[in-house]
């Protein structure tokens, strides 16, 4: 018997409701199957090309806020392009 691959995938993110609670989860890339959104299958055989184990630790690197220069940390393999801002500078934009 194997657990659902979505239960241990780093791409699965909680959706915060109006009360600030997480009652629902969604995959950044979409679920591998329609049945995965509300999976209650005892034995899962799904595979996913986007699967990343949530047990792997991220490597962090230091970056600077573009506006104030404050030192920040971000995931080293993050493919996001663009400038990085600290929360204070971002909220002032």
């Amino acid at each position: 018997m194997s657990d659902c691959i979505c239960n241990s995938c780093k791409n699965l993110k909680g959706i915060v409701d109006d009360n600030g609670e997480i009652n629902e989860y969604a995959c950044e890339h979409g679920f591998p199957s329609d049945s995965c959104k509300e999976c209650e299958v005892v034995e899962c055989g799904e595979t996913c090309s986007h699967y990343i184990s949530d047990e792997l630790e991220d490597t962090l690197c230091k970056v600077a806020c573009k506006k104030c220069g404050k030192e920040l940390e971000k995931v080293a393999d993050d493919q996001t392009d663009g400038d990085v801002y600290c929360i204070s500078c971002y909220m002032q934009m």
Side-chain angles (χ1 to χ4, degrees), residues 48-84:
C48 181
S49 61
H50 300 288
Y51 177 79
I52 301 172
S53 174
D54 64 358
E55 294 177 8
L56 299 175
E57 290 190 30
D58 292 325
T59 304
L60 300 177
C61 65
K62 306 267 186 206
V63 293
C65 171
K66 181 177 181 182
K67 188 172 181 183
C68 72
K70 179 179 178 180
E71 188 176 274
L72 306 165
E73 290 183 334
K74 76 172 217 161
V75 177
D77 62 351
D78 185 0
Q79 302 295 321
T80 319
D81 290 336
D83 299 321
V84 176

Side-chain angles (χ1 to χ4, degrees), residues 2-4 35 38-45:
S2 59
D3 289 331
C4 177
S35 63
E38 295 179 21
C39 181
E40 294 184 18
V41 177
V42 175
E43 198 168 319
C44 179

Side-chain angles (χ1 to χ4, degrees), residues 64-70 83-86 88-93:
C65 171
K66 181 177 181 182
K67 188 172 181 183
C68 72
K70 179 179 178 180
D83 299 321
V84 176
Y85 295 91
C86 68
S88 299
C89 292
Y90 183 78
M91 296 302 287
Q92 292 175 2
M93 293 174 39

